[in-house]
Amino acid sequence: MEQIYDLMILGAGPAGLAAGLYGARAGLSTLILEKGTDGGQAVLTDRVENYPGAMLEDETGYSLTERMLAQAEAFGAVRKNAEIQSVQLDGDIKILAGSSVEYQARTVILATGASPRRLGCPGEEAFTGRGVSYCATCDGAFFRGREVFVAGGGDSAVEEALFLTRFARKVTIIHRRDQLRAVKTLQDRAFAHEKIDFIWDSTVEALEGQEALQTIRLRSKKNGEIRSITAEDGGMLGLFVFVGLTPNTQIFEGKLELEKGYVKTDENMRTSVPGVFAAGDLRVKSLRQIITAAADGAIAAMEAQRYLETAE
Ligand code: NAP
């Protein structure tokens, strides 16, 4: 049987790691559980330029969050690999259960973040990893010298399109409107970039190919016309999808209050269940950034400490 921790944190993205730092530094026995790679969405980005102090040459989301974990561990936080399948959040002892092990604590911070939203068109699943990608940092280099496409018009789409210009011969952003959602600085950079082109008012209708993605079918939002894009050399096309996020909250459904899938909290990160807090992208909030995730984590850990003091 595992020990009963003061604080358990589910997710090791910037929110969970900041919570781990603040919890452990406050003297709470702190367990961080993560099923995959630390860093969450932040490791999908190659360049972090808007987290204060992250100005080191070659700073990536990975390097930044690697230091965040080291800092939390330096104060005594314990990080374990675990895929949690069910949660028991009511009661004084909270339980997070994997397939063969249960973890227990008196408080929990949910920091499971969000995952890339899928386009939902035919062929998307079949060609994932064979032309379709959700991570330019991971897969961009496979498209050296090729033509690639990016679906989406937000910060992620434009930032990653800029990153892809390092490898690709040409990068075309496919957006469903005629205006980008991304912040102006990113827009300006993309509009000025000689390798970046745009297809406006269009959505991806279907993806086709033999072994790999070879044809992207687009539908015009203006007149419904369908057009096809095929690789000039008949080879593989790259399609990087950045059309927003879906919160990773499925296992919390029915356990606490959600709004359109996101966890509702007050400004102190308290959820509808006493002793359960939420931090980061899975929360109902207006700005999803590394800095706001880290801030949520700090607040949630301090609230957990306060909760434990009053519960004693
Ligand atoms: P987002 O801001 O929600 O933008 C999603 C984009 O995809 C929008 O342009 C949207 O079009 C489009 N879209 C949504 N569903 C679509 C569909 N089914 N088909 C085609 N297009 C679709 O998502 P994001 O860019 O992933 O960013 C998520 C959050 O992370 C945001 O809060 C963002 O600011 C933040 N972020 C920040 C940075 C940074 O600060 N450097 C970098 C990356 C992400 P419409 O515009 O028409 O709605």
Side-chain angles (χ1 to χ4, degrees):
M1 170 65 92
E2 282 275 329
Q3 77 176 82
I4 298 177
Y5 288 87
D6 293 326
L7 170 63
M8 233 167 7
I9 298 159
L10 187 53
L17 294 174
L21 167 64
Y22 274 73
R25 192 164 174 273
L28 306 182
S29 58
T30 300
L31 174 67
I32 305 171
L33 297 171
E34 169 61 56
K35 72 170 176 179
T37 312
D38 296 342
Q41 289 283 309
V43 296
L44 301 184
T45 185
D46 177 68
R47 188 166 161 194
V48 177
E49 60 183 14
N50 56 357
Y51 187 78
M55 292 288 284
L56 300 178
E57 206 177 325
D58 295 334
E59 181 78 283
T60 61
Y62 183 80
S63 62
L64 178 66
T65 49
E66 211 178 19
R67 295 204 308 281
M68 287 184 183
L69 174 64
Q71 199 176 359
E73 286 180 328
F75 284 98
V78 174
R79 183 225 180 269
K80 290 191 180 183
N81 262 324
E83 178 150 9
I84 298 305
Q85 285 157 358
S86 65
V87 300
Q88 211 172 297
L89 300 177
D90 45 8
D92 290 341
I93 303 295
K94 321 295 181 191
I95 300 172
L96 304 182
S99 58
S100 58
V101 59
E102 284 189 353
Y103 300 94
Q104 304 187 37
R106 292 189 290 149
T107 59
V108 183
I109 296 174
L110 307 175
T112 48
S115 298
R117 186 185 290 149
R118 304 298 194 245
L119 286 166
C121 68
E124 184 178 20
E125 215 180 308
F127 293 112
T128 295
R130 293 189 289 145
V132 176
S133 171
Y134 304 87
C135 177
T137 312
C138 320
D139 300 327
F142 294 125
F143 295 90
R144 201 173 291 279
R146 294 195 162 274
E147 187 173 357
V148 303
F149 295 81
V150 169
D155 286 340
S156 299
V158 178
E159 199 166 76
E160 301 310 317
L162 285 161
F163 172 72
L164 286 164
T165 59
R166 291 192 201 181
F167 312 102
R169 182 164 46 87
K170 185 177 168 199
V171 180
T172 303
I173 297 178
I174 302 162
H175 186 35
R176 64 182 178 184
R177 292 187 291 134
D178 63 358
Q179 271 186 333
L180 296 172
R181 178 180 292 278
V183 290
K184 187 158 182 315
T185 46
L186 285 172
Q187 291 198 25
D188 290 347
R189 249 187 259 162
F191 289 138
H193 203 292
E194 56 178 12
K195 281 190 180 178
I196 296 185
D197 204 355
F198 296 86
I199 296 177
W200 302 108
D201 300 302
S202 300
T203 52
V204 178
E205 178 80 358
L207 301 174
E208 295 163 8
Q210 297 293 323
E211 292 299 305
L213 176 64
Q214 286 167 312
T215 304
I216 300 173
R217 289 204 194 284
L218 297 180
R219 175 183 290 276
S220 161
K221 298 273 280 184
K222 288 233 159 116
N223 54 23
E225 261 176 32
I226 302 285
R227 66 185 269 202
S228 294
I229 298 168
T230 308
E232 281 167 17
D233 59 0
M236 179 170 72
L237 284 176
L239 176 66
F240 288 82
V241 179
F242 299 105
V243 294
L245 301 171
T246 305
N248 299 323
T249 55
Q250 292 77 4
I251 58 170
F252 314 136
E253 274 170 22
K255 312 274 176 168
L256 42 66
E257 204 177 334
L258 300 176
E259 187 182 298
K260 293 183 183 159
Y262 289 88
V263 178
K264 276 186 88 170
T265 68
D266 66 8
E267 63 177 15
N268 288 322
M269 310 303 141
R270 288 184 293 209
T271 70
S272 56
V273 179
V276 179
F277 307 85
D281 284 359
L282 83 170
R283 211 165 68 73
V284 176
K285 64 194 291 191
S286 60
L287 187 63
R288 294 191 171 83
Q289 304 273 304
I290 301 176
I291 187 170
T292 59
D296 283 3
I299 295 168
M302 291 297 89
E303 265 322 291
Q305 185 198 24
R306 206 160 293 144
Y307 171 88
L308 288 167
E309 279 169 4
T310 52
E312 272 165 10

